[in-house]
């Protein structure tokens, strides 16, 4: 499966010439990629270092939102950030759900993860340089593994993953999708980490290596190189159990919602980081 000839478009020029729009939000993607880079094997770390653009200074997190920045120029990539599932069914099936609005199969975030994983498996082979842009493949894969862990990126079809559900986040008017992309993380940073994302990353990393250490080994498990269907199934369950639950048009979401949903967001960020690292480690053996 190939997603247009994206690799033929100049990579560097796109970085500064498009509007900003984000999935998990800048900090969410930054967190996942920073957590992942801490867990890379020596071989994978070297491959990532070779593929990252020089201006990234070997910091995968610094370019983890690139895929959001370029979707306004790479219009074909927009459907690759999410999956629409049937309303209120609360399950995910690849053959049923992984398609774009025109019904083209494989064009969803799970399909994109499979595609860019396959591309990156060509790293180091003789024809990889001419066939694929592996720098872009790395940045797309890193971003999409983050996206699939945001529950509302595997949300309901009719509300476009809660993008049409207007709510209030405390006093601020938002849509429910944005609450999960940004507001829960931002409020947690302000309230518990002195608005310092690095402190939140440190706290999550500590939990991964201590209280979540046994769970983290299970998160890594995958019978293939990448397992996006597992992550998507978890995502729609979390969307039903936590994101959508108790929310309707015009709901005011305050401490009760924030404090009960914050652990879910932390868990999904941690899972995203652990699984991105595990996927890259399997790709770059």
């Amino acid at each position: 499966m190939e997603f247009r000839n994206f690799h033929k478009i100049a990579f560097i020029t796109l970085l500064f010439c498009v509007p900003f729009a984000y999935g998990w939000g800048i900090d969410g993607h930054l967190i996942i990629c920073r957590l992942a880079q801490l867990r890379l094997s020596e071989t994978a770390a070297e491959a990532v270092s070779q593929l990252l653009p020089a201006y990234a200074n070997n910091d995968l997190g610094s370019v983890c939102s690139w895929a959001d920045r370029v979707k306004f120029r790479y219009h074909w990539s927009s459907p690759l950030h999410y999956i629409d599932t049937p309303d209120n069914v609360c399950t995910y099936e690849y053959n049923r759900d992984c398609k774009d609005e025109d019904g083209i199969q494989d064009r969803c975030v799970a399909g994109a993860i499979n595609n860019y994983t396959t591309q990156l498996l060509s790293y180091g082979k003789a024809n990889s340089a001419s066939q694929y842009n592996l720098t872009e493949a790395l940045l797309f894969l890193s971003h999409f593994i983050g996206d699939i862990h945001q529950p509302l990126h595997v949300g309901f079809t009719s509300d476009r993953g809660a993008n049409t559900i207007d709510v209030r986040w405390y006093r601020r008017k938002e849509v429910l999708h944005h609450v999960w992309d940004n507001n829960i993380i931002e409020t947690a940073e302000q309230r518990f980490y002195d608005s310092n994302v690095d402190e939140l990353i440190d706290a999550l990393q500590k939990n991964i290596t201590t209280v979540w250490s046994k769970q983290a080994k299970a998160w890594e498990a995958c019978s293939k190189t990448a397992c996006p269907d597992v992550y998507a199934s978890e995502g729609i369950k979390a969307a039903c159990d936590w994101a959508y639950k108790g929310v309707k048009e015009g709901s005011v979401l305050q401490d009760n919602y924030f404090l009960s949903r914050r652990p879910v967001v932390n868990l999904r960020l941690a899972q995203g980081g652990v699984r991105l690292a595990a996927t890259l480690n399997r790709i770059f053996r």
Side-chain angles (χ1 to χ4, degrees), residues 4 27-28 62 82 188 261 272 274 277:
R4 309 286 177 91
D27 283 1
S62 71
Y82 60 89
R261 273 60 173 182
V274 168

Side-chain angles (χ1 to χ4, degrees), residues 127 188 215:
N127 65 344
Q215 292 166 272

